[in-house]
Amino acid sequence: MRIFVAGATGAIGRRLVPRLVAGGHQVTATTRSASKAGLLRALGAEPVIVDGLDGAAVGEAVARAEPDAIVHQMTSLAGGADLRHFDRWFSATNALRTQGTQHLLAAARAGGVRRFVAQSYTGWTNIREGGPVKTEDDPLDPNPAKAQAETMAAIMFLERAVLDAPLDGLILRYGSFYGPGDSDDLVKLVRQRKMPIIGDGGGVWSWTHLDDAAAATQAALEAGLRGIYNVTDDEPARVADWLPHLAQLAGAKRPLHVPAWAARLAAGEVATRWMTEGRGSSSAKLRAAVPWRPTWPSWRQGFRTLLEPAAATHTTSGRAA
């Protein structure tokens, strides 16, 4: 196929492009930065410099590429995580999920593109009632934290727009990402003991290694899937389980424990809910539809692969703490 990857230098994009090229596809890949064109060319793609919020430019780029499929991986997160001001932190990404999605869909319609794949998310978006693990059939949280209301609205807009468009729309809801070069901030917080277990740590998270996310995207695209699919590993886990394990591998002391009421005052509602009320996600639907299986079926394996070499350079005193 001729595939147009929008946001090709992001965490998934730069892993997805070489996979698609190796699979025999002709890839046109976008970036907003001219300095990254060489990277995309080295990965085997034809680079295009375009701002995803410039509708005319997006339309021209898609028209020139004449793709059979568009893969929307556009995000923009600058600076460190800011859970207290979540919507402000995600403001640029939210614009790409709304305006950027509209521009790509308009270009797809104009160019007669039939396949459209879009990045979404599963995790804090899940409804916080009922069982600990949710499927694609479960509703999203109808009452997100105030600081996440705009981000939830942007995710819902993206999913509705793609699924309602007159084409073969596919939504991939990835779990919480981790992978080489993309988990440094998380590990730093853990080593500095700035990521405590809040309350009983009963919030359930589902993780996705970035290489597994790229492999799943390729498999789902090539299979021509439509609809919504979760892309996660096979072991949803409570914060009280995965966070101490990550700390141990990172050579850090055990995470601190903070009461929920204190966490709300210090860190805000987003972090408190996520750590205490979060719900995990199942990717059984995707695994039933395509032969994809995660290389790292558990965060236990993935975290060890990611961190054990670095952990060996740290003292082990924290492991016995």
Side-chain angles (χ1 to χ4, degrees), residues 47-313:
V48 176
I49 314 303
V50 64
D51 183 345
L53 298 180
D54 185 336
V58 169
E60 292 173 6
V62 172
R64 286 196 301 270
E66 298 183 325
D68 302 302
I70 292 175
V71 180
H72 177 2
Q73 295 286 352
M74 295 190 297
T75 59
S76 180
L77 291 175
D82 186 357
L83 298 184
R84 182 177 284 277
H85 305 99
F86 197 95
D87 285 338
R88 185 171 68 189
W89 178 34
F90 266 76
S91 61
T93 291
N94 291 340
L96 291 168
R97 284 172 170 165
T98 53
Q99 299 172 46
T101 299
Q102 288 179 305
H103 296 329
L104 285 172
L105 287 173
R109 288 193 295 271
V113 181
R114 289 304 308 166
R115 297 187 187 181
F116 194 103
V117 181
Q119 175 187 147
S120 188
Y121 175 76
T122 184
W124 62 262
T125 51
N126 288 329
I127 189 168
R128 291 169 289 122
E129 299 174 356
V133 179
K134 304 302 181 182
T135 72
E136 297 84 350
D137 293 330
D138 287 301
L140 299 180
D141 191 346
N143 299 298
K146 182 179 179 180
Q148 290 177 310
E150 294 176 10
T151 303
M152 177 70 90
I155 289 172
M156 294 176 67
F157 177 93
L158 177 147
E159 294 190 356
R160 284 197 305 268
V162 172
L163 296 180
D164 290 346
L167 42 70
D168 296 332
L170 171 63
I171 299 295
L172 295 178
R173 290 176 175 171
Y174 304 107
S176 296
F177 287 142
Y178 73 99
D182 291 275
S183 302
D184 295 347
D185 289 344
L186 172 63
V187 174
K188 182 178 179 180
L189 289 173
V190 170
R191 285 181 173 149
Q192 294 176 342
R193 303 189 85 189
K194 292 182 178 179
M195 191 170 188
I197 295 174
I198 297 175
D200 65 354
V204 178
W205 291 36
S206 284
W207 291 93
T208 306
H209 192 287
L210 285 161
D211 289 336
D212 285 332
T217 303
Q218 179 183 9
L221 171 61
E222 292 176 343
L225 298 186
R226 301 177 62 182
I228 299 175
Y229 291 82
N230 293 334
V231 182
T232 65
D233 73 12
D234 299 336
E235 189 180 357
R238 298 168 70 249
V239 174
D241 295 327
W242 69 255
L243 184 51
H245 185 78
L246 177 58
Q248 182 182 37
L249 290 177
K253 293 182 179 179
R254 290 185 63 83
L256 299 170
H257 280 76
V258 176
W261 66 265
R264 285 190 173 89
L265 294 175
E269 187 67 18
V270 170
T272 304
R273 285 191 182 190
W274 207 350
M275 289 281 198
T276 61
E277 302 178 37
R279 296 295 193 270
S281 306
S282 168
S283 62
K285 179 182 176 182
L286 178 62
R287 287 185 278 111
V290 296
W292 170 81
R293 298 294 182 273
T295 300
W296 291 274
S298 168
W299 46 271
R300 297 179 191 276
Q301 300 162 324
F303 286 176
R304 182 174 296 279
T305 300
L306 179 67
L307 293 169
E308 196 166 44
T313 66

